Amino acid sequence: QVQLVESGGGVVQPGRSLRLSCAASGFTFSTYGMHWVRQAPGKGLEWVAVISSDGSNKYYADSLKGRFTISRDNSKDTVYLQMNSVRAEDTAVYYCAKDPSHCGGDCYFFDYWGQGVLVTVSS
Amino acid sequence: EIVLTQSPATLSLSPGERATLSCRASQSVSSYLAWYQHKPGQPPRLLIYDASNRATGIPARFSGSGSGTDFTLTISSLEPEDFAVYYCQQRDNWPLLTFGGGTTVEIK
């Protein structure tokens, strides 16, 4: 069965960096696009970034202003989110999510989600 | 950016009742709309994609309809496990994906 397990969360000071990881299993990772989605405390869901199956295409939410970078290592079945210059408003649960990728490319919705990892930005 | 507005914000119903949730887009998203169920402490679960297609393993009591700017998620008869927050999400304006603000279905 599909499993997505995030790690790397925790408390980080404003302006510092953090890297999240998401280890995938139960499917052929290298053939699916992957996303990060976040949920701030008491708020709704916010899409963060997507990376195509081979890593050649990456897209981000406008609100991130170039501070985050998504990447993947298909040899390790893992997707990453590098978070730089973090701000208080980046405090959220971060979910990695799998794209069904059956739309002649990525579908841009999410058929499986990890349990999420909490990132708290605080001094 | 395409804004998705969900209504009502909260729906108070009893088990066995019918739930009708609305999602309205600020511009047409064709049929490229998905619905998710989200319970506290769990990841969101895909219910419906492309407006009316049930995802794998989703019970038939969940159905989606609509196109363009107006969409509906219907739960025909609420089970106890259906009380949760529901989000819609558009993919028409990819890669700028957006979610609605959510509808909470609570026990009356």
Side-chain angles (χ1 to χ4, degrees):
Chain A
Q1 72 280 23
V2 172
Q3 281 202 313
L4 300 169
V5 180
E6 301 93 340
S7 60
V11 180
V12 57
Q13 293 181 328
R16 304 296 291 267
S17 297
L18 195 67
R19 188 177 81 157
L20 305 182
S21 301
C22 171
S25 61
F27 63 102
T28 306
F29 180 74
S30 61
T31 63
Y32 291 90
M34 296 295 295
H35 300 259
W36 287 95
V37 178
R38 68 184 180 181
Q39 184 176 37
K43 302 294 186 182
L45 300 170
E46 179 186 21
W47 174 76
V48 172
V50 60
I51 186 167
S52 59
S53 58
D54 63 359
S56 61
N57 294 308
K58 306 173 186 181
Y59 301 104
Y60 301 90
D62 287 345
S63 62
L64 299 179
K65 299 187 192 302
R67 297 183 297 117
F68 290 9
T69 301
I70 190 171
S71 61
R72 66 190 296 159
D73 185 339
N74 285 346
S75 70
K76 296 182 178 178
D77 291 352
T78 301
V79 61
Y80 304 97
L81 186 68
Q82 177 69 39
M83 305 169 60
N84 295 333
S85 303
V86 297
R87 305 167 178 170
E89 55 264 35
D90 296 322
T91 294
V93 174
Y94 285 75
Y95 297 98
C96 73
K98 173 184 165 293
D99 192 294
S101 298
H102 60 52
C103 304
D106 291 326
C107 294
Y108 297 97
F109 62 94
F110 323 103
D111 59 353
Y112 292 95
W113 300 62
Q115 287 290 328
V117 64
L118 177 62
V119 172
T120 302
V121 181
S122 174
S123 54
Chain B
E1 175 183 307
I2 295 178
V3 176
L4 299 178
T5 303
Q6 292 188 240
S7 61
T10 304
L11 201 49
S12 299
L13 295 168
S14 301
E17 290 193 293
R18 182 183 188 89
T20 303
L21 289 67
S22 173
C23 177
R24 179 163 290 178
S26 59
Q27 64 190 73
S28 175
V29 298
S30 187
S31 295
Y32 298 131
L33 192 102
W35 290 94
Y36 302 86
Q37 177 191 68
H38 195 192
K39 298 179 183 179
Q42 296 184 22
R45 178 172 72 145
L46 175 67
L47 300 174
I48 302 287
Y49 65 94
D50 291 351
S52 60
N53 297 290
R54 267 191 306 276
T56 302
I58 301 303
R61 64 180 182 273
F62 291 92
S63 64
S65 64
S67 65
T69 60
D70 290 296
F71 300 85
T72 301
L73 175 69
T74 301
I75 310 170
S76 59
S77 178
L78 283 164
E79 296 288 340
E81 62 268 27
D82 298 337
F83 293 92
V85 181
Y86 292 83
Y87 293 97
C88 56
Q89 176 245 325
Q90 66 80 23
R91 69 180 183 96
D92 183 76
N93 192 33
W94 72 271
L96 298 180
L97 311 179
T98 51
F99 290 89
T103 290
T104 300
V105 179
E106 65 175 24
I107 300 176
K108 186 174 181 180

